[in-house]
Amino acid sequence: MSSTAAGRPAGRRRAAIWITLGVVVALIIAFFVFAGLYADILWYQQLGYLNVLTTQWLAAAVLFFIGFLGMAVPLWLSIQLAYRLRPVYAKLNTQLDRYQQVIEPLRRLAMYGIPIVFGIFAGVSTGSRWQTALMWVNSTPSGKTDPQFHLDISFYLFDLPFYRGLVGFASAVVIISLFATLATCYLYGSLRISGREVRISKAARVQISVIAALYLLLQGVSIWLDRYATVTDSNVNDMVNGAAYTDVNATIPGRAILAGISIFVAALFIVTAFIGRWRFPLVGTALLIIAALVVGAIYPWIVQRFQVDPSQKTLETPYIQRSIDSTRDAYGLSNIDVIPYNAKTTAEQGQLREDAQTTAQIRIIDPAQVSPSFRQLEQFRQYYAFPDNLAVDRYTIDGKEQDAVVAVRELQQSGLGSAQNWYNDTIVYTHGYGVVAAYGNQRSTDGQPVFLESGIPTTGSLGAYEPRIYFGQQSPKYSIVGGTTSQKSVELDYPGGADNAQQTYTTFTGNGGPKLDNIFKRLIYALKFQDEQIVLSDAVNSNSQILYDRDPIQRVQKLAPYLTLDSQAYPAVIDGRVKWIIDGYTTSDQYPYSHVGSLSDAIADTETPKPAYPFDNINYIRNSVKATVDAYDGKVTLYAWDSTDPILKTWEKIFPTTVKPMADMSAALLSHVRYPADLFKVQRSVLGQYHVTDAGSFYSRDDAWTTPNDPVSPASNPTLQPPYYLTMQMPGQTAPSFSLYSTFVPLATTESSRSVLKGYLAVDADAGDTKGQKASGYGKLRLLTLPSSDTVPGPGQVQNNFNSDPGVSQQLNLLRQGKTDVISGNLLTLPVGGGLLYVQPVYVKSTGETSYPLLQKVLVAFGDKIAFQDTLDGALDVLFGGNSGATAGDTNAGGGGGTGTTTSPGGTGTTGNAALEAALVDARQALLDRDAALKAGDWAAYGIADANLKKAVAQALAAEAQATPSPTTTPTPSPTPSK
């Protein structure tokens, strides 16, 4: 007795301990969850976008409870009814008796637990679909209708996805309730199976019949809605999207019939609930299945096989035309100007005279190649960094708009090496410093970029601006700033002196992050970042702010979750601040009759990698929002760029006041806004097929195009050539404008397909400089189409001509002598001189550890003619018979425009070998003589010049072998601190 009594208190104590531990663990987990949620509140509140967070939470919470109750209540009710209406004196078999004995002790738990578990899953599922629900509630008409059902496009964008999701959810609830009812009825004797005999009680019959009727009714509604989905499904052997002949004449009517049959069979189940005869609904169900096979599958197959296939082109033409028109509208291609371009292929003197403004702005600085040059010349310290691909922008310098290659000097803490610790990483090294910009069309005599803005402190042509970069693409995970309580600043502003002897420090004064003004907030962020130093360090006080989520794209994505953002953010100096500009897109995959494709596949090229498993199909896109992020304080501003977009209008209803009108955009901001590259890539991908506007030709696919492979990408893994920003004058324009362009070659169907140029696509990327108003020409797409009989070489052919030309090869071999690499820059294509001019910068880079590319030569081509000179200006003159009629921006580079000498890998400007320099001069003269003889048709003179060229090359190789100059590198300049 005493042992039993002692055991009970011990058992109670153990139970109390476990309960206490469970409560403690639950409280700890709850506090961690709360810490994350509260940190989000502080972050959104500081930026002034708290309604974005609360709207998401509220919508998700409401939908969770709707989903939870929508699943749990019907399921609980079904189980309860089946149990309470069970027969009291039902005779059960021995096996069911055993089942009941096992289940009965858990019956109450199961009756509530099963609905709760299913309800939670359903609530989570519905809560995650808050965007679909809110878009349906706030849907905005588009003003356009589809060609089949003549419904507003907004029905397919907003309403149909919601209705289909709602019917799918209701069907899941009903079918789960039906299974739960059948299981309960079987366990408690309402449903008995004895051999081939099935006995069902009246109550069970009524319940099962009603649930089955509801399910069939929902299936009827679902099939009816599926009729509308035909206009977004792929068809015509996956050639186009949307309802084709078979869909319109067989599938859509067939689905209407099946929907009616489903409703009729549902009525038969209701009848069975009253009269007790199962024969009618069972026969009806069998007929429904047969009808689904005949009407839903066999009949459309017969129509397709015996009516459409023999005359497919004739019958499908109207529907292909629908797809062409809808696709071009959905991707913003309806108003593209198609311009026949009879490109010349012969070069003559003075041919570029009318294109002098364009040639003066030809960009010879490749933003994908000069990042190492920026690092070596402008990095100054290892804890600064530049991106691998720089941005192309334009600035007004001395009253003239100038293309520039631009980057910001960002902080890269990994460069601190052994100096990395919590205090340095979090308190001291908090930001980058300054913008670095180089002229796009100029280079120094030794091949370096010519900077229009550089140095620390910054100097140049961009005027005064706030140079500190607290928010950037390489910013630290988090920093704590602005917390000094004395006169001494602790944040390193920029280094000074050869040994960092004259450091300059600053204190952040903006409003860039949540304040850590009490111990509770510090504890919240210590938990968020798993870092106790936030609480313990005396460097953190009530004036401190914590900066995090600092990548511009990430910040915009959190504040505008409905946008698909461009893969690149680019910096610009605007109104005295450095601001990141990000393009935001509204997309959908539910636009009727529009071509569906993967967004990530469409934008993949040399600069943007292709994902392994893309899941981002779209068939509608608009550049609806321009966003800016202040690089100093992280302020995010969203501007409505396409106010006619129904998707943006809908989201503006959901998140009011978060998007500002275009009228609020300053003139300085508009002057740096550009047409987004990702949108342009999507449009060129679609135009490869949909430049053909005649349905018959489209069906034949006899004029399909594609973007050419980047000629400088590896042959083993070729990537598409990216589009390029240039200032140029297209046919149809009265003056040059900042533009984005790409080219087209025939879509390869065999290995012998020729890579001739078929089309040239360009868009006016300049938004102007008028406050609150985009330029009238902005976004205008122009497609130059070359006659099919023309044989204008494409980028691949031109690159092959460059590589195989004997004269070019000889000079490149000379450049490769010693420890140097030759790097081919971007191959640009320009519609000038009545034809197409190709320009490619050639860089030389020492293989030394601290070397960087130097622009040494420029290759140009027009038709089949090639020139290879020290400067673009010199190359154009050679290409066009000694005088191109225009000058390029690098007229004064390269020692006066092409002396024929090369620079050493380190950039000394000369070879340091007199014999080699003399041989190179002779080689250049021989090349000029040979080109002149070829133009004049003097084959005797051509032979003499060619022999002289070979002799000069041999002499140069011999001189190089006797004394190869050692590579040199330009030392990293030390900054001069401000006084």
Side-chain angles (χ1 to χ4, degrees):
M1 185 73 175
S2 60
S3 62
T4 304
R8 289 175 180 171
R12 290 171 182 165
R13 284 196 298 271
R14 285 194 296 270
I17 291 172
W18 282 111
I19 291 173
T20 302
L21 287 174
V23 171
V24 170
V25 170
L27 288 175
I28 292 174
I29 294 173
F31 187 73
F32 270 93
V33 173
F34 169 78
L37 297 178
Y38 187 55
D40 286 341
I41 291 174
L42 293 175
W43 189 86
Y44 279 89
Q45 189 175 47
Q46 183 272 325
L47 281 166
Y49 287 80
L50 184 59
N51 66 321
V52 173
L53 181 65
T54 55
T55 299
Q56 294 180 62
W57 283 0
L58 180 61
V62 170
L63 287 173
F64 174 85
F65 284 108
I66 290 175
F68 176 83
L69 296 175
M71 174 64 77
V73 171
L75 184 54
W76 175 83
L77 187 61
S78 298
I79 296 173
Q80 286 290 326
L81 286 175
Y83 174 73
R84 293 184 179 278
L85 299 176
R86 71 191 186 283
V88 180
Y89 302 106
K91 184 178 179 180
L92 304 178
N93 58 40
T94 305
Q95 187 176 6
L96 284 178
D97 280 336
R98 287 198 297 270
Y99 286 159
Q100 282 194 7
Q101 290 174 6
V102 173
I103 294 173
E104 190 60 29
L106 303 173
R107 175 179 55 81
R108 186 175 296 275
L109 176 63
M111 284 185 172
Y112 289 94
I114 291 174
I116 289 173
V117 170
F118 276 95
I120 290 173
F121 281 108
V124 171
S125 177
T126 55
S128 65
R129 289 167 171 77
W130 63 270
Q131 291 192 354
T132 302
L134 289 182
M135 290 175 75
W136 172 70
V137 172
N138 298 278
S139 62
T140 303
S142 68
K144 299 178 180 179
T145 59
D146 76 282
Q148 178 59 37
F149 297 102
H150 307 293
L151 298 172
D152 192 275
I153 300 299
S154 62
F155 172 79
Y156 301 94
L157 299 178
F158 310 124
D159 300 342
L160 186 58
F162 176 79
Y163 295 148
R164 297 183 78 185
L166 181 63
V167 171
F169 174 79
S171 298
V173 172
V174 171
I175 197 67
I176 292 172
S177 298
L178 179 60
F179 287 142
T181 298
L182 292 173
T184 306
C185 288
Y186 179 73
L187 285 173
Y188 290 97
S190 298
L191 173 62
R192 287 176 287 169
I193 301 174
S194 178
R196 300 178 62 180
E197 183 180 7
V198 179
R199 293 180 177 274
I200 305 176
S201 68
K202 181 178 179 180
R205 183 190 73 218
V206 172
Q207 184 175 349
I208 293 172
S209 298
V210 171
I211 295 176
L214 285 175
Y215 182 75
L216 284 166
L217 183 63
L218 288 169
Q219 295 314 296
V221 175
S222 177
I223 294 170
W224 182 263
L225 293 176
D226 287 344
R227 297 166 60 251
Y228 302 108
T230 56
V231 299
T232 58
D233 294 338
S234 61
N235 218 309
V236 192
N237 297 324
D238 294 329
M239 181 182 295
V240 297
N241 261 41
Y245 183 90
T246 300
D247 294 308
V248 171
N249 294 279
T251 303
I252 292 175
R255 288 177 178 175
I257 293 171
L258 288 175
I261 295 174
S262 297
I263 296 172
F264 175 72
V265 176
L268 293 180
F269 274 99
I270 296 296
V271 172
T272 297
F274 292 98
I275 68 175
R277 293 182 177 274
W278 289 96
R279 180 180 302 173
F280 297 121
L282 293 178
V283 171
T285 302
L287 290 175
L288 176 60
I289 295 173
I290 295 171
L293 291 173
V294 174
V295 178
I298 296 176
Y299 178 62
W301 178 83
I302 292 173
V303 172
Q304 181 68 35
R305 181 70 179 83
F306 297 101
Q307 187 174 356
V308 176
D309 287 351
S311 306
Q312 189 175 51
K313 184 174 182 179
T314 301
L315 295 178
E316 300 290 15
T317 292
Y319 307 103
I320 293 175
Q321 193 63 53
R322 289 181 178 181
S323 181
I324 293 172
D325 296 339
S326 296
T327 297
R328 290 170 67 94
D329 181 69
Y331 287 95
L333 300 170
S334 296
N335 297 320
I336 185 172
D337 281 354
V338 179
I339 305 170
Y341 191 62
N342 296 314
K344 299 178 181 178
T345 56
T346 56
E348 301 175 354
Q349 283 192 353
Q351 197 162 333
L352 300 184
R353 187 167 290 109
E354 295 182 1
D355 297 292
Q357 289 181 286
T358 297
T359 57
Q361 282 280 19
I362 296 176
R363 179 175 50 76
I364 56 173
I365 299 298
D366 184 352
Q369 298 297 339
V370 298
S371 182
S373 301
F374 274 51
R375 284 195 289 268
Q376 287 297 317
L377 299 171
E378 290 293 325
Q379 183 175 349
F380 295 111
R381 292 295 185 269
Q382 295 301 316
Y383 48 79
Y384 289 133
F386 295 97
D388 291 335
N389 287 320
L390 308 186
V392 177
D393 200 356
R394 67 274 189 211
Y395 288 90
T396 301
I397 308 297
D398 297 330
K400 180 180 178 182
E401 193 169 89
Q402 174 68 55
D403 287 4
V405 177
V406 183
V408 295
R409 189 184 291 105
E410 291 203 54
L411 178 67
Q412 187 178 58
Q413 290 184 343
S414 60
L416 291 173
S418 61
Q420 278 194 279
N421 55 55
W422 183 87
Y423 186 84
N424 279 342
D425 290 351
T426 308
I427 305 297
V428 178
Y429 293 92
T430 59
H431 61 278
Y433 193 94
V435 171
V436 178
Y439 289 95
N441 62 341
Q442 298 182 26
R443 63 160 203 183
S444 67
T445 56
D446 59 356
Q448 295 181 5
V450 177
F451 294 107
L452 60 91
E453 185 76 17
S454 61
I456 294 182
T458 57
T459 58
S461 305
L462 301 187
Y465 63 93
E466 172 54 67
R468 296 163 186 88
I469 311 298
Y470 282 90
F471 292 84
Q473 296 174 314
Q474 302 184 57
S475 296
K477 184 177 181 180
Y478 75 95
S479 296
I480 296 176
V481 300
T484 181
T485 57
S486 65
Q487 297 299 318
K488 183 179 180 180
S489 298
V490 296
E491 298 173 45
L492 178 68
D493 203 18
Y494 54 84
D499 299 315
N500 291 337
Q502 301 176 13
Q503 306 284 21
T504 301
Y505 294 89
T506 187
T507 298
F508 179 77
T509 58
N511 180 20
K515 287 192 173 183
L516 302 177
D517 49 9
N518 58 58
I519 189 65
F520 181 70
K521 289 182 180 179
R522 292 168 67 177
L523 179 60
I524 289 295
Y525 282 104
L527 291 173
K528 177 179 177 63
F529 293 108
Q530 300 293 292
D531 196 336
E532 73 283 355
Q533 296 298 324
I534 298 175
V535 174
L536 301 177
S537 176
D538 61 0
V540 184
N541 55 54
S542 59
N543 295 318
S544 297
Q545 298 177 46
I546 185 166
L547 313 181
Y548 62 98
D549 289 341
R550 299 160 75 174
D551 181 270
I553 294 178
Q554 180 186 11
R555 289 177 78 80
V556 175
Q557 191 67 81
K558 289 184 68 173
L559 299 180
Y562 52 90
L563 292 177
T564 299
L565 300 182
D566 197 272
S567 57
Q568 297 293 327
Y570 61 97
V573 176
I574 300 169
D575 299 323
R577 310 281 282 200
V578 178
K579 294 187 179 182
W580 296 94
I581 302 176
I582 304 102
D583 287 283
Y585 311 112
T586 47
T587 62
S588 175
D589 61 354
Q590 296 297 312
Y591 198 95
Y593 278 101
S594 179
H595 165 79
V596 175
S598 167
L599 175 62
S600 53
D601 279 348
I603 67 174
D605 56 22
T606 300
E607 297 178 356
T608 307
K610 182 177 181 179
Y613 303 103
F615 296 101
D616 52 0
N617 285 344
I618 64 168
N619 68 354
Y620 172 89
I621 185 170
R622 289 291 185 272
N623 179 206
S624 53
V625 171
K626 300 284 186 181
T628 64
V629 177
D630 193 300
Y632 182 73
D633 61 16
K635 180 182 179 182
V636 178
T637 309
L638 307 176
Y639 297 99
W641 189 248
D642 186 350
S643 59
T644 64
D645 175 37
I647 298 180
L648 177 62
K649 287 183 177 179
T650 297
W651 283 110
E652 286 183 296
K653 294 179 184 177
I654 298 170
F655 299 127
T657 72
T658 59
V659 181
K660 293 185 177 181
M662 187 193 302
D664 289 353
M665 297 180 73
S666 69
L669 172 57
L670 280 164
S671 69
H672 291 283
V673 165
R674 66 188 191 188
Y675 198 84
D678 281 359
L679 175 60
F680 186 74
K681 292 178 188 179
V682 171
Q683 290 175 320
R684 75 174 180 181
S685 175
V686 172
L687 271 177
Q689 293 283 349
Y690 287 87
H691 69 277
V692 178
T693 56
D694 177 73
S697 298
F698 187 95
Y699 177 85
S700 301
R701 295 193 179 186
D702 54 2
D703 193 23
W705 299 344
T706 187
T707 304
N709 288 331
D710 192 341
V712 299
S713 62
S716 59
N717 184 29
T719 52
L720 297 183
Q721 187 179 37
Y724 296 116
Y725 289 99
L726 293 171
T727 293
M728 61 181 178
Q729 182 175 340
M730 285 281 290
Q733 289 182 297
T734 58
S737 67
F738 189 66
S739 305
L740 182 62
Y741 86 88
S742 185
T743 57
F744 291 107
V745 296
L747 180 64
T749 55
T750 65
E751 293 184 359
S752 60
S753 296
R754 299 183 62 202
S755 295
V756 296
L757 205 64
K758 299 300 296 181
Y760 186 97
L761 178 66
V763 62
D764 190 338
D766 191 350
D769 56 2
T770 302
K771 182 182 184 301
Q773 181 180 349
K774 70 177 75 172
S776 58
Y778 173 87
K780 185 62 179 178
L781 288 155
R782 294 177 174 86
L783 177 63
L784 305 185
T785 59
L786 280 71
S788 57
S789 58
D790 268 9
T791 56
V792 177
Q797 285 185 335
V798 170
Q799 188 68 59
N800 182 69
N801 293 341
F802 285 162
N803 297 338
S804 60
D805 183 86
V808 173
S809 298
Q810 289 170 351
Q811 294 194 56
L812 291 178
N813 287 334
L814 290 175
L815 293 174
R816 292 189 181 101
Q817 295 298 311
K819 298 179 179 180
T820 59
D821 291 329
V822 174
I823 302 171
S824 298
N826 46 207
L827 182 59
L828 305 178
T829 312
L830 295 98
V832 295
L836 289 159
L837 172 69
Y838 287 94
V839 177
Q840 184 176 53
V842 177
Y843 293 85
V844 175
K845 179 179 180 294
S846 168
T847 56
E849 184 177 350
T850 59
S851 62
Y852 54 92
L854 294 169
L855 178 56
Q856 296 296 286
K857 294 282 187 177
V858 180
L859 277 163
V860 294
F862 193 92
D864 292 327
K865 192 173 181 181
I866 295 172
F868 188 36
Q869 297 295 314
D870 292 348
T871 65
L872 174 59
D873 195 55
L876 292 178
D877 282 341
V878 171
L879 187 69
F880 290 95
N883 181 13
S884 67
T887 57
D890 66 341
T891 302
N892 297 321
T899 64
T901 61
T902 62
T903 61
S904 69
T908 62
T910 65
T911 65
N913 185 325
L916 177 58
E917 291 182 9
L920 291 176
V921 171
D922 292 340
R924 180 180 182 276
Q925 185 59 50
L927 280 172
L928 294 173
D929 294 340
R930 191 178 69 167
D931 289 340
L934 178 64
K935 180 176 178 61
D938 187 346
W939 299 110
Y942 181 90
I944 294 172
D946 189 65
N948 291 337
L949 175 61
K950 293 178 181 179
K951 180 180 177 181
V953 170
Q955 291 173 345
L957 291 173
E960 179 70 14
Q962 291 177 1
T964 300
S966 60
T968 62
T969 59
T970 300
T972 303
S974 298
T976 302
S978 61
K979 300 291 186 183

